[in-house]
Amino acid sequence: MLTFSKFLTRLFSFVVIISLLFALIPVQPVRAETVVSTNITQNTTWSGTYRVTRAISLNPGVRLVIQPGTVINFDAGAGIEC
């Protein structure tokens, strides 16, 4: 017969095992998306994820550095004019 203390011991063991299994599951970080809808008027470095929502321009003499691994999504009709 299963006593209450044995039940609690088994329940605790079950919870520990399930917790350890969940700790082994890799988690993908959520990347926040930066929305760009205005002209780039000063030197800027992009890293992460960006969404360009309309046609924008890079002002003369202004530098846009895009870091490796950066993702840039463009809405329909959007772009960057240099």
Side-chain angles (χ1 to χ4, degrees), residues 11-43:
L11 178 62
F12 178 76
S13 298
F14 175 76
V15 170
V16 168
I17 290 169
I18 295 299
S19 299
L20 290 172
L21 289 175
F22 276 111
L24 297 174
I25 298 173
V27 178
Q28 294 293 329
V30 176
R31 287 187 155 188
E33 183 177 74
T34 302
V35 176
V36 180
S37 61
T38 59
N39 293 340
I40 301 170
T41 59
Q42 59 186 354
N43 292 341

Side-chain angles (χ1 to χ4, degrees), residues 39-76:
N39 293 340
I40 301 170
T41 59
Q42 59 186 354
N43 292 341
T44 305
T45 300
W46 284 3
S47 63
T49 304
Y50 287 79
R51 175 172 299 284
V52 179
T53 59
R54 66 179 196 85
I56 63 172
S57 64
L58 189 63
N59 283 8
V62 172
R63 186 174 174 183
L64 173 62
V65 177
I66 301 170
Q67 295 291 330
T70 300
V71 176
I72 305 171
N73 299 304
F74 293 90
D75 287 353

